[in-house]
Amino acid sequence: MTDNEKNKPLEKKERMKIPRQKMPEQDAKERIRNFKEVPHGLTPELAMIEARRCLACPKPPCIGGCPVEVNIPEFIRLVTEGDFVAAARVIKRTNALPAICGRVCPQEEQCEKVCILTKKYNSVGIGNLERFVADFERERGEIEIPQLPPPTGKKVAIVGAGPAGLTVAADLAQMGHKVVIYEALHKAGGVLIYGIPEFRLPKAIVASEVDYLRKLGVEIYTSYVIGKLDTVDELFEQGFNAVFVGTGAGLPNFMQIDGENLNGIYSSNEFLTRSNLMAGYDFPNYDTPIFAGENVAVLGGGNTAMDSVRTSLRLGAMNAYIVYRRSRNEMPARKEEIHHAEQEGVQFMFLTNPIRYIGDDNGWVKGMECVKMELGEPDASGRRRPVEMKGSNFILPVDTVVVAVGNSSNPLIPQTTPGLKTNKWGNIEVDPKTQMTSRPGVFAGGDIVTGGATVILAAGAGKVAARAIHKYVMGIPFDEPAKEEAKVK
Amino acid sequence: MFRIVDKKELCEKIHRFRIEVPRLVEKAKAGQFVILRQHDRGERVPMSIGGLDKKNGLLTVVIQEVGKTSGSMNRMKTGDSFADVVGPLGMSSHVEKFGHCVCIGGGVGIPPIYPIAQALKEAGNQVTTIIGARSKSLLIYEEELTSASHRLLISTDDGSYGTHGFVTTVLQNLLDAGEKVDMVISIGPVPMMKAVVASTRLPKIKTFVSLNPIMVDGTGMCGACRVTVGGKTKFACVDGPDFDGHEVDFDEMTKRLKMYAKYEKIAYERFLHEGCRVADQIKQL
Ligand SMILES: Cc1cc2nc3c(=O)[nH]c(=O)nc-3n(C[C@H](O)[C@H](O)[C@H](O)COP(=O)(O)OP(=O)(O)OC[C@H]3O[C@@H](n4cnc5c(N)ncnc54)[C@H](O)[C@@H]3O)c2cc1C
Ligand SMILES: Cc1cc2nc3c(=O)[nH]c(=O)nc-3n(C[C@H](O)[C@H](O)[C@H](O)COP(=O)(O)OP(=O)(O)OC[C@H]3O[C@@H](n4cnc5c(N)ncnc54)[C@H](O)[C@@H]3O)c2cc1C
Ligand code: FES
């Protein structure tokens, strides 16, 4: 394509003829032997071609499909013009974590699902483009630190440095408030750093977004467990004007079946934390060991299960199974992850449920008794309920099992904060308009409120909370628009 | 970074550290623990609180070299710093007025007995402490525990000091002599705790043990520290570390503690003789 051709305005029909550009990626055989990122990212060339597929709809549905309402057509237009940095800044007006969201958002369920092209031609690769411009900006060192308003003299404490907490921090810092983050682990990032593997989200990217916060003047204390070192009430006593709780859903669920405490049986949280946060895959260069045997079964069908099973392959598993009690259609994991797992040789056992583990004399798991399931009537979730098929029992030989059947909320903050209302699942109750809890001045958002959800929903809750916290500390009634709000990027 | 203000070898392979962590020390209670990380590639290792100097903001931990990380920590010097000290973690020990309490410590289980004995004494209990070691030269914390308890009894496996035998020999002697014991708390190697529980089962004496399963985060997030207590799965880092000893499945815990033995051996050997071909060894696993 010559420069001339590139810049020529295209007719709608011509645009629709361009096929969706494929993301170049590491070959499956190669990548299961390393922890490097799987997709290489679009080249500037590919990005510009992909961007030209956008029809620039007059009433773009994609914006409404994005939980933080990124101005998608606008940033894509800037990509067609080759102004990638400007494109990145358009996204950053409403999303502080574009390099992360471009990689891990379930776009096919959000912006790309409602794209006009979706039905007939495959949607525009919005996520891939988002990732491209964010990477471009970062790699060129073009990240801009906005001019901060004069300090308001108000102080806000944030508990938990996951996407929810980080978003609140970024927004409040840009409104002139003093922000301090307290994080229980020794690194900030929440699930982004301990859960999602390096091959899907390089930790350097999370570190760079965290670094950006520090540049905005946010103080971050790691290895600081709120509820143990300071309680929420003590934070107020220390002079904080508001507290945001973004502690996530970090309490692993087990299935309560026989033999679950045998050696070799992990929660996905432990398995992924050992591998990611502690860099166990690089043992003994790092000190924390991790074990993945020859026959690894991962229980569950979500992103966490896909991440665990793909990690197990990279740690050397010969047979890596996904054991899921429903069918393929009900799997909650992102399509791309399922697809990548398949390419890498993961074996899927659908409509299968474990009922007991069998151990050897040294307490190691050596087998898992399973039953086949069939789908019955729809249950409360609207999905067809799996029912056991009598007499279909069989034993799967395994030496490692990763239980990835969901997480519950950590009770530490509710237990140590009198008057903080939670629902029957232990999630903190908030007013959805403000994210304020039953305790005035205490706000919450992300997985601790919704239960395990997504990065962008956590960030979205963080944005709502930041606006409300601003009003709260400045003494502006919640139903009154705040003048300063416009400044929030 | 958390500075070591004072460091001392108590006996072979056991070192005592006093670390500056004022806020943690202010909040910490007897029976809780901390997690230490030496440096950026380091492992998170749980260590019991072996003393709290609230006036100077100093935390005492006593570390026994059993592998690479503990070995490498014990080579640190006064003035060096830990990258992380997280805590206080876990629940504090049950301290109330029981009557006559017997605190039993073995090995590096002795230091955490010290703040617990102190607290029990302050709560108005009569405190007998029993500590044991293989031989006299390996006995630690004698002085501290003399002041923290009404009576200190000592056993050595080789008979070089105190009663010849185990801490349980001393406990059994007390019980046989008809002493009334209202509560026992025992911290030490798993076989020791298991033996203590065996002695107190029949006389139905309330017995707490402090469990030390493998941990990662220490905040209830990972589930590595699962133990079976009374037939139910508990997370030692948040539900414990103290549990009703009569309910604990010690055999399961013993097996779980060996989960990484193969890896630990390699890391330790490499640490002791640096430069050996570790990567090759791992492939052979
Ligand atoms: C393995 C895995 C893969 C996933 N993949 C995807 C994906 O591809 N796309 C997607 O959109 N979503 C994905 N998710 C979901 C997504 O990561 C979460 O919805 C999101 O991280 C929630 O953000 P959060 O800020 O609420 O909490 P978290 O990310 O859980 O962060 C909470 C933080 O709070 C800290 N904390 C907890 N208690 C305390 C305390 N008492 N004091 C101080 N700090 C505390 C924790 O250590 C943690 O760092 C995945 C989740 C997992 C587990
Ligand atoms: C609540 C609690 C309090 C503890 N208090 C003390 C203490 O006061 N002093 C002391 O010397 N030790 C204490 N320990 C044990 C200490 O954490 C381990 O000895 C240490 O982690 C070993 O690390 P390593 O790399 O040197 O040894 P490794 O070579 O990794 O392991 C050697 C053995 O130590 C045990 N171990 C390994 N990793 C852990 C881990 N993360 N958590 C628990 N045990 C592990 C296992 O039995 C293992 O086989 C405590 C453990 C717990 C859970
Ligand atoms: S150490 Fe992770 S849950 Fe206890």
Side-chain angles (χ1 to χ4, degrees):
Chain A
M1 208 165 29
T2 67
D3 274 2
N4 237 346
E5 282 168 332
K6 253 193 244 168
N7 298 333
K8 192 183 68 159
L10 290 182
E11 290 301 319
K12 200 168 157 185
K13 272 213 188 105
E14 289 176 285
R15 290 178 191 267
M16 292 197 289
K17 265 194 230 140
I18 308 172
R20 179 169 161 135
Q21 300 301 296
K22 273 192 81 169
M23 176 81 108
E25 57 187 33
Q26 264 199 84
D27 182 65
K29 276 207 234 47
E30 193 54 42
R31 71 186 190 232
I32 57 168
R33 283 188 266 135
N34 65 54
F35 275 81
K36 289 194 214 122
E37 198 175 9
V38 170
H40 294 304
L42 296 174
T43 60
E45 281 272 292
L46 287 173
M48 286 172 78
I49 301 174
E50 182 62 29
R52 274 152 66 102
R53 299 180 61 232
C54 172
L55 302 180
C57 309
K59 277 194 195 144
C62 50
I63 301 184
C66 170
V68 296
E69 299 187 2
V70 167
N71 190 338
I72 295 165
E74 171 71 3
F75 103 75
I76 291 186
R77 187 183 60 76
L78 287 162
V79 177
T80 62
E81 290 173 5
D83 196 347
F84 307 136
V85 172
R89 300 219 170 122
V90 166
I91 303 178
K92 278 193 163 164
R93 283 211 298 260
T94 52
N95 181 2
L97 313 170
I100 292 168
C101 291
R103 287 174 164 78
V104 304
C105 264
Q107 290 101 7
E108 77 267 15
E109 293 297 328
Q110 297 173 169
C111 52
E112 295 184 14
K113 186 178 187 174
V114 292
C115 173
I116 298 289
L117 292 179
T118 299
K119 274 211 181 109
K120 271 176 132 168
Y121 301 95
N122 280 327
S123 75
V124 174
I126 301 170
N128 291 349
L129 288 170
E130 178 182 31
R131 166 185 162 155
F132 167 76
V133 297
D135 286 355
F136 187 91
E137 186 198 28
R138 192 185 62 255
E139 282 158 15
R140 299 292 148 107
E142 294 271 4
I143 291 184
E144 201 183 41
I145 308 297
Q147 173 113 44
L148 296 176
T152 58
K154 305 292 178 192
K155 275 172 67 179
V156 182
I158 293 177
V159 187
L166 295 175
T167 305
V168 179
D171 283 6
L172 288 174
Q174 291 179 72
M175 292 187 253
H177 304 300
K178 172 88 207 130
V179 182
V180 182
I181 301 183
Y182 297 99
E183 165 57 47
L185 293 171
H186 56 265
K187 275 195 193 143
V191 173
L192 307 176
I193 206 100
Y194 78 73
I196 302 182
E198 180 77 13
F199 56 82
R200 211 147 72 71
L201 179 63
K203 299 306 152 230
I205 290 177
V206 183
S208 132
E209 314 251 81
V210 170
D211 195 45
Y212 177 73
L213 287 190
R214 290 208 174 90
K215 290 190 180 135
L216 289 175
V218 174
E219 269 178 59
I220 305 177
Y221 291 98
T222 51
S223 294
Y224 206 111
V225 186
I226 299 298
K228 287 288 178 186
L229 213 43
D230 295 327
T231 60
V232 168
D233 287 303
E234 282 164 339
L235 291 173
F236 282 111
E237 281 161 28
Q238 289 163 23
F240 284 101
N241 303 95
V243 175
F244 175 82
V245 179
T247 48
L251 190 81
N253 292 346
F254 285 94
M255 293 180 65
Q256 325 287 350
I257 56 180
D258 246 24
E260 213 160 22
N261 293 345
L262 287 166
N263 286 352
I265 302 180
Y266 284 103
S267 78
S268 54
N269 281 359
E270 181 186 357
F271 191 68
L272 292 169
T273 300
R274 280 182 180 272
S275 182
N276 298 316
L277 178 73
M278 307 310 296
Y281 64 82
D282 200 6
F283 178 89
N285 290 321
Y286 284 76
D287 291 343
T288 303
I290 180 166
F291 174 87
E294 292 196 348
N295 300 302
V296 183
V298 176
L299 315 181
N303 286 322
T304 314
M306 293 308 136
D307 284 346
S308 304
V309 81
R310 296 174 67 201
T311 296
S312 78
L313 281 171
R314 285 159 175 79
L315 291 171
M318 311 288 266
N319 290 301
Y321 308 100
I322 283 284
V323 177
Y324 182 54
R325 66 196 184 115
R326 301 179 195 254
S327 76
R328 177 182 210 100
N329 296 332
E330 286 84 14
M331 277 219 288
R334 291 181 61 204
K335 295 235 164 47
E336 182 182 334
E337 308 316 328
I338 300 172
H339 176 65
H340 277 149
E342 260 173 346
Q343 283 179 336
E344 290 169 8
V346 170
Q347 301 165 54
F348 289 85
M349 302 177 74
F350 295 114
L351 292 165
T352 307
N353 206 27
I355 52 170
R356 141 183 108 91
Y357 298 102
I358 301 149
D360 68 13
D361 294 342
N362 300 317
W364 279 87
V365 62
K366 64 174 185 186
M368 181 167 91
E369 183 169 345
C370 302
V371 280
K372 300 296 290 174
M373 314 288 282
E374 55 192 346
L375 291 180
E377 295 299 306
D379 63 12
S381 74
R383 297 179 298 181
R384 292 174 62 195
R385 184 196 301 275
V387 199
E388 253 177 49
M389 285 166 71
K390 283 249 153 53
S392 63
N393 303 37
F394 68 98
I395 288 171
L396 184 71
V398 288
D399 49 13
T400 308
V401 176
V402 182
V403 183
V405 297
N407 288 312
S408 309
S409 310
N410 192 308
L412 189 53
I413 299 287
Q415 271 171 6
T416 55
T417 314
L420 194 67
K421 267 207 198 128
T422 53
N423 65 15
K424 64 174 169 182
W425 298 283
N427 298 322
I428 298 179
E429 285 184 4
V430 297
D431 174 345
K433 287 204 279 303
T434 59
Q435 302 287 130
M436 190 151 94
T437 65
S438 56
R439 280 281 306 267
V442 179
F443 297 75
D447 284 2
I448 183 70
V449 169
T450 54
T454 61
V455 172
I456 195 69
L457 288 174
K463 294 202 93 64
V464 174
R467 275 184 213 139
I469 291 172
H470 172 73
K471 287 182 182 169
Y472 181 84
V473 299
M474 301 305 284
I476 306 165
F478 283 144
D479 44 18
E480 216 172 272
K483 272 187 260 130
E484 286 81 354
E485 229 173 70
K487 280 194 205 140
V488 186
K489 287 207 174 150
Chain B
M1 299 296 265
F2 301 88
R3 208 168 65 90
I4 301 168
V5 183
D6 170 54
K7 148 91 197 280
K8 189 178 169 205
E9 180 170 11
L10 297 183
C11 69
E12 199 201 334
K13 295 206 168 182
I14 298 185
H15 295 240
R16 186 192 68 201
F17 298 76
R18 290 197 218 279
I19 314 166
E20 216 168 33
V21 252
R23 183 70 184 149
L24 188 154
V25 169
E26 202 183 313
K27 297 304 289 258
K29 292 206 178 74
Q32 290 187 294
F33 66 96
V34 300
I35 284 187
L36 301 176
R37 217 168 54 106
Q38 188 183 358
H39 54 74
D40 230 33
R41 294 185 161 224
E43 204 172 358
R44 299 168 64 96
V45 289
M47 293 291 159
S48 309
I49 292 174
L52 294 163
D53 174 352
K54 302 238 174 196
K55 205 167 84 224
N56 299 303
L58 298 183
L59 163 78
T60 303
V61 292
V62 175
I63 302 180
Q64 176 171 35
E65 172 169 341
V66 294
K68 175 178 175 185
T69 303
S70 50
S72 159
M73 285 179 172
N74 279 355
R75 282 159 185 71
M76 293 169 85
K77 295 191 279 299
T78 300
D80 290 349
S81 295
F82 286 94
D84 292 288
V85 180
V86 197
L89 299 170
M91 308 287 237
S92 54
S93 294
H94 305 261
V95 174
E96 53 183 90
K97 180 117 195 240
F98 293 99
H100 180 204
C101 300
V102 177
C103 302
I104 307 177
V108 279
I110 298 175
I113 278 291
Y114 165 56
I116 296 172
Q118 267 181 328
L120 286 170
K121 197 174 161 194
E122 263 164 43
N125 291 288
Q126 184 68 27
V127 177
T128 300
T129 301
I130 309 173
I131 59 175
R134 264 182 291 127
S135 91
K136 180 169 195 246
S137 62
L138 298 175
L139 197 75
I140 57 173
Y141 262 58
E142 186 180 348
E143 212 173 291
E144 285 88 342
L145 283 163
T146 306
S147 70
S149 17
H150 294 98
R151 174 170 60 161
L152 179 66
L153 304 170
I154 291 168
S155 72
T156 48
D157 299 5
D158 64 0
S160 51
Y161 193 44
T163 304
H164 189 167
F166 303 124
V167 285
T168 39
T169 321
V170 180
L171 173 67
Q172 200 57 54
N173 290 347
L174 287 186
L175 297 175
D176 291 347
E179 270 199 38
K180 184 174 164 293
V181 176
D182 300 297
M183 177 267 221
V184 170
I185 178 156
S186 164
I187 310 182
V190 178
M192 182 198 107
M193 294 191 286
K194 204 175 153 182
V196 167
V197 166
S199 323
T200 60
R201 190 175 308 265
L202 262 189
K204 290 209 173 84
I205 302 168
K206 185 89 192 147
T207 304
F208 295 102
V209 293
S210 178
L211 300 185
N212 55 349
I214 292 179
M215 295 186 174
V216 184
D217 62 307
T219 64
M221 183 270 277
C222 76
C225 61
R226 329 206 267 291
V227 288
T228 301
V229 182
K232 292 208 181 75
T233 294
K234 301 273 176 188
F235 290 4
C237 70
V238 285
D239 300 323
D242 290 3
F243 291 100
D244 180 342
H246 294 141
E247 301 271 313
V248 170
D249 184 341
F250 287 106
D251 296 341
E252 177 187 274
M253 195 176 111
T254 305
K255 287 176 183 161
R256 283 186 69 81
L257 276 170
K258 293 192 186 124
M259 179 135 162
Y260 294 100
K262 279 196 285 196
Y263 294 83
E264 285 153 0
K265 194 161 162 260
I266 288 175
Y268 194 35
E269 273 167 13
R270 166 164 122 155
F271 169 72
L272 292 177
H273 332 266
E274 269 179 2
C276 69
R277 307 199 50 120
V278 188
D280 292 345
Q281 292 185 14
I282 296 223
K283 276 194 207 110
Q284 287 160 17
L285 280 181

